[in-house]
Amino acid sequence: GSDQIEAQPLFEEDFVLVASRRHRFAARRHVPLASLADEPLVLLPAIFCTRRLLNASFEQAGIVPKVAVEMNSIEGILATVKTSKLATVLPRLSLGLEGGGGLRGIPLRHPTPRRGLGLLWKKRGHRSGAARALADQVRLVIKKRWRKKSGFL
């Protein structure tokens, strides 16, 4: 940890398999991560922290992902998945607070990739009214919308 920065954890977010409703895994309640070994995926490039976290989970499951396409835009990835037979693995919030608009977020197991989200503040630093208001809004949205809909937290 840093002696200059303090973290305020908000919640943990699971990664999910994102697929169109016509995908072969779409009807499943959950998917073991190892089942994706031969599944062509659209993923973020390894320069993204999200991808590095996911790669660690793939390694833990003993598989190497079959990357069909790499894109550096979540919106592009979701559009590709929606209009093709490809799937992706992204944090659940990538589908938005209201759901995926025709896409399914299928929980992953053994292991369940996960990341923590929070706010970072400068220790002993001034927090402007705008910064405090933003932090309050983030907490409010999480409390009212995310936690109730996810069922995970």
Side-chain angles (χ1 to χ4, degrees):
S2 169
D3 59 351
Q4 300 296 312
I5 303 289
E6 67 179 274
Q8 179 184 11
L10 294 173
F11 65 98
E12 285 194 344
E13 174 185 26
D14 291 347
F15 286 57
V16 293
L17 178 68
V18 179
S20 72
R21 299 197 184 279
R22 64 187 181 282
H23 190 274
R24 67 187 186 108
F25 288 150
R28 293 201 185 175
R29 290 174 45 119
H30 60 83
V31 175
L33 196 60
S35 296
L36 302 182
D38 296 319
E39 188 66 29
L41 299 171
V42 183
L43 297 176
L44 290 165
I47 61 169
F48 286 82
C49 178
T50 301
R51 172 66 183 275
R52 293 191 302 272
L53 287 169
L54 183 58
N55 283 348
S57 292
F58 283 135
E59 188 174 317
Q60 188 179 348
I63 65 169
V64 174
K66 184 177 177 181
V67 181
V69 180
E70 284 187 337
M71 297 178 137
N72 59 7
S73 158
I74 290 176
E75 293 81 9
I77 290 172
L78 294 175
T80 300
V81 168
K82 191 180 279 191
T83 59
S84 72
K85 293 184 178 184
L86 299 172
T88 189
V89 178
L90 289 169
R92 182 172 289 283
L93 273 178
S94 300
L95 291 172
L97 291 171
E98 300 302 325
L103 295 173
R104 282 219 51 228
I106 305 154
L108 294 164
R109 302 280 192 263
H110 313 297
T112 298
R114 182 173 286 127
R115 70 177 181 177
L117 280 87
L119 299 172
L120 299 176
W121 302 99
K122 184 176 179 182
K123 278 187 183 174
R124 296 172 296 281
H126 172 72
R127 295 183 190 171
S128 69
R132 289 191 312 270
L134 174 64
D136 290 344
Q137 253 334 98
V138 168
R139 283 190 290 273
L140 182 68
V141 167
I142 291 165
K143 183 177 179 183
K144 286 188 172 181
R145 304 186 81 188
W146 174 243
R147 289 179 186 243
K148 287 182 181 177
K149 290 180 181 281
S150 73
F152 287 88
L153 303 173

